[in-house]
Amino acid sequence: MTLSKQEMSNQNNLLLTEPTLHYGIDKKVMQLFEASSKSSSIEGKMDMQVATLVDDFLGEINANTDIKLDCLVEKFSNSKAPVDPSTFESYFNYLANNVVAHSIHTSSPRFIGHMTSALPSFVGPLAKLMTAMNQNAVKIETAKALSFYEREALAMMHRLIYNFSDNFYTQYIQNSQSTLGILVSGGTVANITALWCARNASLGAKYGFSGVEKEGLAAALDFYGYKGAVIIGSDLMHYSFDKAADFLGIGTHSLIRVSTDCNNRVNIKELRQTVADCRAKKLHIIAIVGIAGTTDSGGVDSLKDIAEIAQDANVHFHVDAAWGGPLIFSEQHRHKLAGIEQADSVTIDGHKQLYLPMGIGMVFLRDPHLAKAIEKQASYTMREGSFDLGKRALEGSRPGMALFLHAGLNLIGLKGYEFLIDEGIRKTQYMADRIRAMPEFELLAEPDINLLIYRYIPESLRGLSSRNQLSETDNQLIDQLNERLQKNQRQAGRTFISRTTKKTTCFGTEISILALRAVIANPLTTEDDIDAVLNDQIHIAREWGMGNRE
Amino acid sequence: MTLSKQEMSNQNNLLLTEPTLHYGIDKKVMQLFEASSKSSSIEGKMDMQVATLVDDFLGEINANTDIKLDCLVEKFSNSKAPVDPSTFESYFNYLANNVVAHSIHTSSPRFIGHMTSALPSFVGPLAKLMTAMNQNAVKIETAKALSFYEREALAMMHRLIYNFSDNFYTQYIQNSQSTLGILVSGGTVANITALWCARNASLGAKYGFSGVEKEGLAAALDFYGYKGAVIIGSDLMHYSFDKAADFLGIGTHSLIRVSTDCNNRVNIKELRQTVADCRAKKLHIIAIVGIAGTTDSGGVDSLKDIAEIAQDANVHFHVDAAWGGPLIFSEQHRHKLAGIEQADSVTIDGHKQLYLPMGIGMVFLRDPHLAKAIEKQASYTMREGSFDLGKRALEGSRPGMALFLHAGLNLIGLKGYEFLIDEGIRKTQYMADRIRAMPEFELLAEPDINLLIYRYIPESLRGLSSRNQLSETDNQLIDQLNERLQKNQRQAGRTFISRTTKKTTCFGTEISILALRAVIANPLTTEDDIDAVLNDQIHIAREWGMGNRE
């Protein structure tokens, strides 16, 4: 039988739409999906392989692996995706040897240089549950109970910050027209969201003008008679504010960074003056930012004073409490956040001092209607009046991370969080005391909370240093030593401390010096671990002859 | 012995810093953290409880639960965080009865109304591994191997889209000065990031002007001599573009939505004219957007034609392939994306047709240096020249979601993804055929890929409908019926289809009609399930007497 061209083409089309063309692949793939409907042997085997990996990984005491980056560059240089599926056994082995083996032991009690720490044991099982449930928190139709559950968890946090009346929470906790808080992927998105709300609300629709949201920034400034728009905070503002200023169209030059005092708190007098200057120059102030725990050194601004300035100027007051927010749990340390309850918006990160997995940022809003300023809708979802959480958010589809937040509040509880916060600060004081007592180190600021900056001083300069007589050249030498020390320590991998820069006044001129930076948040970190980290640094410095330089 | 006030205060301070003050809480909390270092009995028990929950949840065939939203409002109305920690047994029970029980069965083969589906079984174990590793992908110091591993996975995807030479990938795959792709939390952030790059690159530093990033949008437009700035795409652009236009300071009125044809593709002639008009009006075009799979109905724009228009106008060409990107895996359907390789940036979502968990968006960049336009640095991290991924990203701290992407490419493989894509489209054609054959339904557009819009027609109007003689009043009646049908179906919970609106021309005037919207992506969905969904709709319509209206 011969076929016409047309018939052949038809037959080809038929063949192409037949699933059997996928020679054997169909079975392999379907097996992966069918397994997900029950704890079958495949998933059970995967679980076992992963459990071994996890145990080995979490059992490590070293902070780091000593593999060189060049070596990793080589390991991961394949740009061709595999044609056929691998077996999970071989892929998980590959993962174990190439990725897990050379990952950072963020849970190590001697990894005390960044804001990443050991997590409570419930996060693993909940991660599995969240993934299996695969809810999309953007809308009710893909996240039913979760939408209300998320609002409840956010209301609990809101209440800790603002402590409004029972009546207030009854009215707003599940009111679809209101937003007490927005769950986002991280502190950066939280800060950006807060400033987005502030910009849109302060340059809103009025007298026939449709507002900045619709008409854009240039038209809004024009309509309101401003020459420009600014955001004001301290020079220790997180880099997410640079992103926000860039993003929102005001430009990073319009992010005004007021200087800080020796303990890393914004200079209130200068801040007040800056606000007055901006008003005199007809610059619209989108927001004044207070910081509760700078990323650099943990400094907490005097939020009460900033609140007063913002209130006097009738300007949005945002608090970046991504790190320090959870001090609210501590009876002993809560007073450091005094004034936060006057903030129009507050950022807190769940993956920092709430000890939850990466990917949980939150922004809380004093006015439950503020987020209306950023509301968006679509015809296939997020209709007005609905309970869809995605209506007032930067992000669209997002996972049910509320599971971790709500669980943390319940499984750790207010008292548990209080204990964790108190312990971190107590151990930081211990470390500060040790540093003060050791001739090898110099403490660079009194720690407000649980971040600490210090540096190593070579033996030959300790005399000058203790008499505050270091020259600029001496400081440069110390900077070089400390940078080398931090890099060598990181590379050796036994312990870990990060580094940053700190402005300091030296012989009348302000100079920037390199600082070693400790973050004491891991509940597993003991005083012995802190000693071990400091001794490791002394050991490394001696090994390199840094102690006896010159 | 009596103490002076000073001594008492000192003693108080001492007492306050003693951890023993936290009566018994310390042990409870530390137990949670210590457990995470090995598969102890606590975590083992949690795992077992979660495994049962997951099995029950994934075993459900119904799409939904029939609980009323009012009931959920009541269940989640507690704004007071618990003081003491709960036991995990009681909390997990609470979760089971209140959250899991009333969550959407997104993996149900009869939940075919949104872009959320069943996932392969490896995502659960990997979620656990990712959480245990707790890497923060923002920087090398908290994500060592993972940073390189993520770049490798993104390069594999980049190569599928752009297919540059071996040389190109050797040069850029692990070059810290370049960015082939950015892993973000979702498609919205991916789209916003692409337009942010486009805005900053097109209004960059020049002749003493520092660029829009630093000086802001008003100054940039002024410097470049533009009267405004716009983004152009079809009227089916995702709502994330509204967010982007608002955010980036141009205002949503400057998001120009060109009309689409009856198959939901942008009208190319009108697009070309719009571009010319904008240039004549001295409006800066930040980007032209092409859509590969509209969220509404899966329409794929003619990317080749748009690429040509963008190239002629020397304008950034962005493709939103959040949904449709993975067609690239299919030999049979890849041609629908022809022209995507000319895009300056492409968005693809991992949590859509790569069958990965929520929270994986990606933006790919043709020019490995484009992301320089959004680069930011900080003193404590993300230093220039480093491999820190956070330097060029909207987000800061973020989880190691690359684990899922890399695993998906390896465990499903190119052929596995091809099978999944081909199957989805094949089954959509089956559904379209069924709808055409059933008098109860009207197909509203020929499906380009695996989204399908249709509507139910009451018996009394079927004659008019088939002769295309429905009046506007008839259409309004049909809209009401379909809205009620969709809501009742959702509430009953056996099956699920979403709804949207579709513009159509009726007696010469364009009207908006309500459309039922199916998304056929779940590999577990069979032809029988599709029949069951359609029959459920007929059943509901009959029950309500919709079939015999009038």
Side-chain angles (χ1 to χ4, degrees):
Chain A
M1 190 182 92
T2 48
L3 295 168
S4 71
K5 250 195 174 168
Q6 183 56 44
E7 279 164 326
M8 273 178 73
S9 149
N10 282 344
Q11 196 184 48
N12 272 337
N13 279 337
L14 260 178
L15 278 174
L16 281 169
T17 55
E18 274 296 308
T20 45
L21 246 194
H22 299 274
Y23 312 103
I25 289 289
D26 48 351
K27 273 189 203 137
K28 278 192 199 164
V29 173
M30 289 310 292
Q31 206 179 21
L32 284 175
F33 281 89
E34 278 150 14
S36 77
S37 68
K38 54 186 172 298
S39 233
S40 77
S41 55
I42 278 200
E43 198 174 343
K45 280 184 210 154
M46 288 182 185
D47 275 334
M48 275 170 60
Q49 211 171 334
V50 162
T52 313
L53 270 177
V54 167
D55 284 353
D56 291 353
F57 186 77
L58 294 179
E60 278 283 348
I61 185 144
N62 281 349
N64 205 329
T65 154
D66 65 354
I67 195 169
K68 296 259 166 60
L69 297 188
D70 288 353
C71 201
L72 290 171
V73 163
E74 255 174 65
K75 270 182 191 289
F76 300 103
S77 57
N78 174 22
S79 62
K80 284 185 183 157
V83 174
D84 289 304
S86 313
T87 64
F88 78 87
E89 289 94 343
S90 70
Y91 186 71
F92 281 22
N93 278 336
Y94 158 85
L95 266 187
N97 298 327
N98 295 277
V99 185
V100 183
H102 304 298
S103 285
I104 305 290
H105 300 122
T106 54
S107 65
S108 156
R110 296 176 183 187
F111 178 86
I112 52 172
H114 280 303
M115 295 173 160
T116 319
S117 136
L119 299 181
S121 50
F122 60 80
V123 300
L126 287 183
K128 227 187 141 178
L129 179 62
M130 183 185 85
T131 309
M133 287 168 64
N134 200 26
Q135 304 293 288
N136 180 350
V138 74
K139 51 182 177 272
I140 285 283
E141 286 184 346
T142 50
K144 203 168 174 179
L146 189 91
S147 304
F148 300 93
Y149 170 78
E150 177 177 311
R151 286 188 70 107
E152 183 178 88
L154 291 169
M156 286 178 181
M157 291 294 299
H158 189 279
R159 189 163 193 155
L160 288 168
I161 301 168
Y162 293 108
N163 198 23
F164 288 145
S165 67
D166 282 344
N167 245 349
F168 175 91
Y169 291 102
T170 305
Q171 191 175 346
Y172 292 113
I173 186 169
Q174 297 296 354
N175 175 340
S176 70
Q177 297 301 309
S178 71
T179 304
L180 296 179
I182 309 172
L183 200 61
V184 298
S185 64
T188 294
V189 175
N191 283 334
I192 292 176
T193 302
L195 296 173
W196 184 23
C197 289
R199 190 200 65 179
N200 284 15
S202 64
L203 297 170
K206 203 171 170 181
Y207 309 135
F209 175 70
S210 332
V212 63
E213 178 194 1
K214 297 196 172 78
E215 307 225 6
L217 188 61
L221 295 176
D222 202 43
F223 172 82
Y224 279 92
Y226 292 119
K227 294 215 166 119
V230 300
I231 294 165
I232 309 176
S234 93
D235 56 14
L236 292 175
M237 270 188 289
H238 187 252
Y239 61 89
S240 52
F241 293 98
D242 289 285
K243 292 183 187 175
D246 172 0
F247 229 25
L248 294 170
I250 67 169
T252 54
H253 285 174
S254 296
L255 181 68
I256 303 182
R257 294 180 173 274
V258 173
S259 73
T260 37
D261 64 22
C262 58
N263 277 323
N264 305 304
R265 297 183 197 122
V266 69
N267 183 322
I268 291 295
K269 209 177 135 189
E270 196 185 319
L271 177 64
R272 193 175 282 116
Q273 188 56 50
T274 305
V275 170
D277 290 350
C278 287
R279 292 166 73 85
K281 288 186 205 155
K282 287 247 166 213
L283 295 172
H284 172 56
I285 306 170
I286 290 177
I288 302 177
V289 177
I291 313 175
T294 66
T295 317
D296 244 350
S297 51
V300 180
D301 285 339
S302 171
L303 303 180
K304 245 190 162 69
D305 290 330
I306 307 180
E308 200 189 296
I309 294 173
Q311 208 155 16
D312 286 352
N314 196 24
V315 165
H316 184 105
F317 173 34
H318 175 67
V319 173
D320 179 2
W323 178 256
L327 263 74
I328 209 89
F329 292 111
S330 163
E331 211 175 311
Q332 194 185 344
H333 297 290
R334 191 179 299 144
H335 68 92
K336 294 172 187 166
L337 300 183
I340 197 171
E341 73 286 353
Q342 292 178 64
D344 294 295
S345 53
V346 175
T347 289
I348 296 182
D349 264 344
H351 50 242
K352 294 194 168 94
Q353 300 211 74
L354 293 182
Y355 298 91
L356 305 176
M358 280 293 141
I360 307 180
M362 290 167 269
V363 57
F364 298 98
L365 306 171
R366 193 171 210 279
D367 172 0
H369 299 295
L370 180 65
K372 279 260 174 202
I374 60 164
E375 185 165 318
K376 301 280 178 290
Q377 274 145 32
S379 54
Y380 44 87
T381 181
M382 306 195 322
R383 289 169 279 258
E384 214 185 337
S386 74
F387 276 98
D388 300 335
L389 298 175
K391 283 189 298 187
R392 303 181 203 111
L394 190 159
E395 293 162 302
S397 296
R398 62 181 175 83
M401 301 296 275
L403 214 50
F404 296 108
L405 175 63
H406 200 284
L409 289 171
N410 279 277
L411 293 174
I412 294 179
L414 296 182
K415 280 196 180 166
Y417 277 123
E418 179 176 39
F419 163 72
L420 292 168
I421 292 296
D422 288 355
E423 274 292 280
I425 298 180
R426 188 186 65 78
K427 286 183 284 191
T428 307
Q429 286 301 338
Y430 170 83
M431 187 167 181
D433 289 344
R434 293 292 300 135
I435 287 172
R436 271 193 217 94
M438 293 166 93
E440 291 88 349
F441 296 110
E442 180 190 14
L443 192 67
L444 292 173
E446 281 305 319
D448 260 5
I449 50 171
N450 54 347
L451 268 80
L452 195 104
I453 49 175
Y454 65 104
R455 61 178 178 171
Y456 180 84
I457 306 285
E459 203 169 344
S460 58
L461 293 174
R462 283 175 200 161
L464 288 171
S465 166
S466 66
R467 291 189 302 275
N468 205 13
Q469 289 175 343
L470 292 171
S471 69
E472 203 165 328
T473 321
D474 295 335
N475 272 311
Q476 280 164 2
L477 177 73
I478 297 172
D479 279 0
Q480 285 161 17
L481 286 183
N482 277 275
E483 182 168 344
R484 209 164 122 207
L485 172 57
Q486 194 265 346
K487 284 183 178 170
N488 287 336
Q489 181 185 15
R490 182 178 67 192
Q491 186 55 38
R494 293 178 298 268
T495 64
F496 179 76
I497 288 284
S498 63
R499 67 179 202 271
T500 186
T501 51
K502 154 98 180 141
K503 276 186 198 157
T504 189
T505 306
C506 158
F507 300 119
T509 27
E510 195 182 67
I511 61 163
S512 216
I513 59 171
L514 195 137
L516 300 172
R517 169 176 170 267
V519 185
I520 312 287
N522 189 340
L524 302 176
T525 300
T526 62
E527 283 86 341
D528 283 351
D529 292 313
I530 291 171
D531 289 343
V533 173
L534 293 172
N535 289 332
D536 195 29
Q537 293 186 316
I538 293 174
H539 170 78
I540 291 168
R542 281 206 188 122
E543 213 174 42
W544 282 72
M546 287 181 191
N548 305 308
R549 191 107 180 167
E550 288 176 343
Chain B
M1 188 180 93
T2 49
L3 294 167
S4 71
K5 249 195 175 168
Q6 182 57 42
E7 280 164 328
M8 274 179 71
S9 147
N10 282 346
Q11 197 185 47
N12 272 337
N13 279 337
L14 260 180
L15 278 173
L16 282 168
T17 55
E18 275 296 310
T20 46
L21 248 194
H22 299 275
Y23 312 103
I25 290 288
D26 48 350
K27 273 188 201 137
K28 278 191 199 165
V29 173
M30 288 311 291
Q31 206 179 20
L32 285 175
F33 282 87
E34 278 149 14
S36 77
S37 67
K38 53 186 172 298
S39 232
S40 76
S41 56
I42 278 199
E43 198 174 343
K45 279 184 211 156
M46 288 182 186
D47 275 335
M48 274 169 59
Q49 211 171 335
V50 162
T52 312
L53 269 178
V54 167
D55 283 353
D56 291 352
F57 186 78
L58 294 179
E60 278 281 347
I61 185 144
N62 281 349
N64 204 331
T65 155
D66 64 354
I67 195 169
K68 295 259 165 61
L69 297 188
D70 289 352
C71 202
L72 290 171
V73 164
E74 255 175 64
K75 269 182 192 288
F76 300 102
S77 58
N78 173 23
S79 62
K80 286 185 181 156
V83 174
D84 290 303
S86 314
T87 64
F88 78 86
E89 290 93 344
S90 71
Y91 186 70
F92 281 22
N93 278 336
Y94 157 85
L95 266 186
N97 298 328
N98 294 278
V99 185
V100 182
H102 303 299
S103 284
I104 305 289
H105 300 120
T106 54
S107 64
S108 155
R110 295 177 182 187
F111 178 86
I112 53 172
H114 281 302
M115 295 173 159
T116 319
S117 136
L119 299 180
S121 50
F122 59 79
V123 301
L126 287 183
K128 227 188 142 178
L129 178 62
M130 183 185 86
T131 309
M133 288 169 66
N134 199 27
Q135 304 292 287
N136 180 350
V138 72
K139 51 182 178 271
I140 284 283
E141 286 185 345
T142 50
K144 202 168 174 177
L146 188 92
S147 303
F148 300 93
Y149 170 79
E150 178 176 310
R151 286 188 70 108
E152 182 177 89
L154 291 170
M156 286 178 181
M157 291 294 300
H158 189 280
R159 188 161 194 156
L160 287 169
I161 301 168
Y162 293 108
N163 199 22
F164 288 145
S165 67
D166 283 344
N167 246 348
F168 175 90
Y169 291 102
T170 305
Q171 190 176 347
Y172 292 113
I173 187 168
Q174 297 296 353
N175 176 340
S176 70
Q177 297 300 310
S178 71
T179 303
L180 296 180
I182 309 173
L183 200 61
V184 298
S185 64
T188 293
V189 174
N191 283 334
I192 291 176
T193 302
L195 296 173
W196 185 24
C197 289
R199 189 199 66 180
N200 283 15
S202 64
L203 297 170
K206 202 173 171 180
Y207 309 135
F209 175 70
S210 333
V212 63
E213 178 194 0
K214 297 196 171 77
E215 308 225 5
L217 187 61
L221 295 177
D222 202 43
F223 172 82
Y224 279 92
Y226 292 120
K227 294 213 166 123
V230 299
I231 294 165
I232 309 176
S234 93
D235 57 13
L236 292 175
M237 269 189 289
H238 187 253
Y239 60 89
S240 52
F241 292 98
D242 288 284
K243 292 183 187 175
D246 173 359
F247 230 22
L248 294 170
I250 67 169
T252 53
H253 285 174
S254 296
L255 180 69
I256 302 182
R257 293 180 173 275
V258 173
S259 72
T260 37
D261 63 22
C262 59
N263 277 323
N264 305 304
R265 299 184 194 120
V266 69
N267 183 322
I268 292 295
K269 211 177 134 188
E270 195 184 320
L271 177 64
R272 193 175 283 116
Q273 189 55 50
T274 305
V275 169
D277 291 349
C278 288
R279 292 165 74 85
K281 288 185 205 155
K282 288 248 167 211
L283 295 172
H284 172 56
I285 306 171
I286 290 177
I288 302 177
V289 177
I291 313 175
T294 66
T295 317
D296 243 351
S297 50
V300 180
D301 285 338
S302 171
L303 303 179
K304 247 191 161 72
D305 291 329
I306 306 179
E308 200 189 296
I309 295 173
Q311 208 155 16
D312 287 351
N314 195 24
V315 165
H316 185 105
F317 172 34
H318 174 67
V319 173
D320 179 1
W323 180 255
L327 263 74
I328 210 89
F329 292 111
S330 163
E331 210 175 312
Q332 192 186 343
H333 298 289
R334 190 179 299 145
H335 68 92
K336 294 173 188 167
L337 300 183
I340 197 171
E341 72 286 353
Q342 293 178 62
D344 295 295
S345 54
V346 175
T347 289
I348 296 181
D349 265 344
H351 50 241
K352 294 195 168 95
Q353 300 211 75
L354 293 182
Y355 297 92
L356 304 176
M358 278 295 140
I360 308 181
M362 290 167 270
V363 57
F364 298 97
L365 306 171
R366 193 170 209 280
D367 171 0
H369 300 295
L370 180 65
K372 280 259 175 203
I374 60 164
E375 186 164 318
K376 301 279 178 290
Q377 273 146 33
S379 53
Y380 44 88
T381 182
M382 307 196 320
R383 288 170 279 258
E384 213 183 340
S386 74
F387 276 98
D388 300 333
L389 298 175
K391 283 190 297 186
R392 303 181 203 111
L394 191 159
E395 294 161 302
S397 297
R398 61 182 175 82
M401 300 296 273
L403 214 50
F404 297 107
L405 175 63
H406 200 284
L409 289 171
N410 278 276
L411 294 173
I412 295 178
L414 296 182
K415 279 196 181 164
Y417 277 123
E418 178 176 39
F419 163 72
L420 291 169
I421 292 295
D422 288 356
E423 275 293 279
I425 298 179
R426 188 186 63 79
K427 287 183 284 190
T428 307
Q429 286 301 337
Y430 170 82
M431 186 166 181
D433 289 345
R434 292 293 299 135
I435 287 172
R436 270 192 218 94
M438 292 165 94
E440 291 88 350
F441 297 109
E442 180 189 16
L443 192 67
L444 291 174
E446 281 305 318
D448 260 6
I449 50 172
N450 54 347
L451 268 80
L452 195 104
I453 49 174
Y454 65 105
R455 61 178 177 170
Y456 180 83
I457 306 284
E459 204 171 345
S460 58
L461 294 174
R462 284 173 201 162
L464 289 170
S465 166
S466 67
R467 292 189 302 276
N468 206 12
Q469 289 175 341
L470 291 171
S471 69
E472 204 166 327
T473 320
D474 295 335
N475 273 310
Q476 281 165 2
L477 177 73
I478 297 172
D479 280 0
Q480 286 161 17
L481 286 182
N482 278 275
E483 182 169 345
R484 207 163 124 207
L485 172 57
Q486 194 265 346
K487 285 184 176 169
N488 288 335
Q489 182 185 13
R490 182 178 67 193
Q491 186 55 39
R494 293 178 299 267
T495 64
F496 179 77
I497 286 285
S498 62
R499 67 178 202 271
T500 186
T501 51
K502 154 99 180 138
K503 277 185 199 158
T504 190
T505 306
C506 158
F507 299 120
T509 28
E510 195 183 68
I511 61 163
S512 215
I513 60 171
L514 194 137
L516 300 171
R517 170 177 171 266
V519 185
I520 312 287
N522 190 340
L524 303 176
T525 300
T526 62
E527 282 86 340
D528 283 351
D529 291 313
I530 292 171
D531 289 343
V533 173
L534 292 172
N535 289 331
D536 195 29
Q537 292 186 317
I538 292 173
H539 171 77
I540 290 167
R542 281 206 189 121
E543 214 174 40
W544 283 71
M546 288 180 191
N548 305 310
R549 190 109 181 166
E550 290 176 342

